[in-house]
Amino acid sequence: MENRAHIRVEELNVHFRSEHVLKNVSLIIPDRKITAIIGPSGCGKTTLLRSFNRLIDATEGVRVSGRVLVDDENILDASAEVTHIRKKMGLLLQKPYPLPMSIYDNVAYGPRIHGIKDRRRLDEIVERFLKKASLWDEVRERLNQPASALSLGQQQRLCLARGLAVEPEIILGDEPTSALDPQSSQRIEQTFTELKRDYTIVIVTHILRQARRLADHVVFLYLGELVEQGPAWDFFNNPKQPMTREYIKGLIS
């Protein structure tokens, strides 16, 4: 049985100038589950993900209609406060981008911006969220070293810790393991599985095997349209739409 919807999308349309990228998309993202958004390249996966934190606003010539409800607030409404919306969302990109500072300062960056100055409290925050990102044991003795000294997989977990430190409700991942080696990808997947107890997680992935391993809920897009969504077991074992069956079998791409 599905949990309550943390995000609800209703009749979402996104145009980039003359291109109709998302077409009347309506779906739910269940609370404290991992939702995988899948589909071929160019089908609108990343556009959908970035509509959840209003990052598509930065794209020149974008037009958006419909509703995206996060905790029952329509974040597309003209009166919606974008900074407040984005604070609810942690974002992991394909390639990690640690800040050019120490490991410690990367995690403490957000809390400091939000007014936390006490060193003891910052120490607690840094340790807490490095542990949540499964990185603490690897870096606890070198917190003052540059973040750039970490491996790519460690940098991605550091970016996750940095995002968690501002205490979001939702973690968004845009193909967050695509630049990583298999072992680092496995660590990120394990971390996501642990984090879903406390967070709603939405990932874009082009890897069906990853969606099968991780997802509790699946959203399948094709050419900007929602083809099918639902619990992952039903989606992969008893798909309702012929196109879903063909995509799972690798007959369309």
Side-chain angles (χ1 to χ4, degrees), residues 14-19 21 56-64:
V14 177
H15 292 80
F16 294 141
R17 293 195 171 89
S18 60
E19 185 181 3
V21 180
I56 55 170
D57 292 13
T59 307
E60 190 176 346
V62 69
R63 288 182 290 121
V64 183

Side-chain angles (χ1 to χ4, degrees), residues 96-147:
Y97 289 97
L99 300 172
M101 52 185 67
S102 71
I103 296 167
Y104 182 101
D105 288 337
N106 262 267
V107 184
Y109 182 81
R112 282 176 172 147
I113 283 179
H114 291 289
I116 298 174
K117 305 298 181 186
D118 179 73
R119 179 69 186 208
R120 183 178 297 176
R121 189 171 172 201
L122 286 171
D123 288 350
E124 291 171 354
I125 288 169
V126 169
E127 179 175 349
R128 176 185 173 196
F129 290 107
L130 284 172
K131 283 179 174 177
K132 276 188 175 288
S134 302
L135 189 58
W136 173 253
D137 289 342
E138 296 167 47
V139 302
R140 61 189 300 174
E141 302 298 332
R142 48 185 178 134
L143 294 175
N144 293 321
Q145 290 185 7

Side-chain angles (χ1 to χ4, degrees), residues 26-216:
S26 296
L27 54 86
I28 64 142
I29 303 294
D31 183 42
R32 299 193 190 190
K33 301 282 187 183
I34 298 176
T35 295
I37 303 173
I38 65 171
S41 296
C43 70
K45 300 188 297 294
T46 294
T47 299
L48 176 62
L49 189 80
R50 288 174 178 244
S51 72
F52 297 158
N53 63 0
R54 295 275 301 268
L55 274 182
I56 55 170
D57 292 13
T59 307
E60 190 176 346
V62 69
R63 288 182 290 121
V64 183
S65 65
R67 303 208 306 165
V68 176
L69 301 164
V70 179
D71 296 323
D72 296 323
E73 174 192 4
N74 180 19
I75 66 169
L76 299 183
D77 192 273
S79 63
E81 210 282 298
V82 176
T83 304
H84 163 71
I85 292 162
R86 289 180 181 159
K87 190 177 183 299
K88 290 187 175 188
M89 314 273 178
L91 176 64
L92 279 184
L93 301 171
Q94 293 182 22
K95 184 180 177 183
Y97 289 97
L99 300 172
M101 52 185 67
S102 71
I103 296 167
Y104 182 101
D105 288 337
N106 262 267
V107 184
Y109 182 81
R112 282 176 172 147
I113 283 179
H114 291 289
I116 298 174
K117 305 298 181 186
D118 179 73
R119 179 69 186 208
R120 183 178 297 176
R121 189 171 172 201
L122 286 171
D123 288 350
E124 291 171 354
I125 288 169
V126 169
E127 179 175 349
R128 176 185 173 196
F129 290 107
L130 284 172
K131 283 179 174 177
K132 276 188 175 288
S134 302
L135 189 58
W136 173 253
D137 289 342
E138 296 167 47
V139 302
R140 61 189 300 174
E141 302 298 332
R142 48 185 178 134
L143 294 175
N144 293 321
Q145 290 185 7
S148 58
L150 298 173
S151 71
L152 206 61
Q154 289 172 326
Q155 287 182 23
Q156 188 69 305
R157 282 181 280 144
L158 178 64
C159 290
L160 177 58
R162 188 180 73 212
L164 293 176
V166 297
E167 302 197 41
E169 299 174 4
I170 298 164
I171 301 167
L172 307 177
D174 188 2
E175 300 197 27
T177 65
S178 63
L180 306 182
D181 63 86
Q183 186 174 11
S184 297
S185 296
Q186 186 179 35
R187 291 297 301 273
I188 290 286
E189 289 184 8
Q190 289 172 344
T191 302
F192 281 163
T193 301
E194 294 164 7
L195 288 174
K196 73 177 181 180
R197 290 174 295 189
D198 301 310
Y199 303 89
T200 297
I201 300 174
V202 190
I203 63 165
V204 164
T205 182
H206 65 280
I207 306 169
L208 277 176
R209 294 188 308 279
Q210 184 175 64
R212 284 181 182 272
R213 285 194 301 269
L214 274 183
D216 302 296

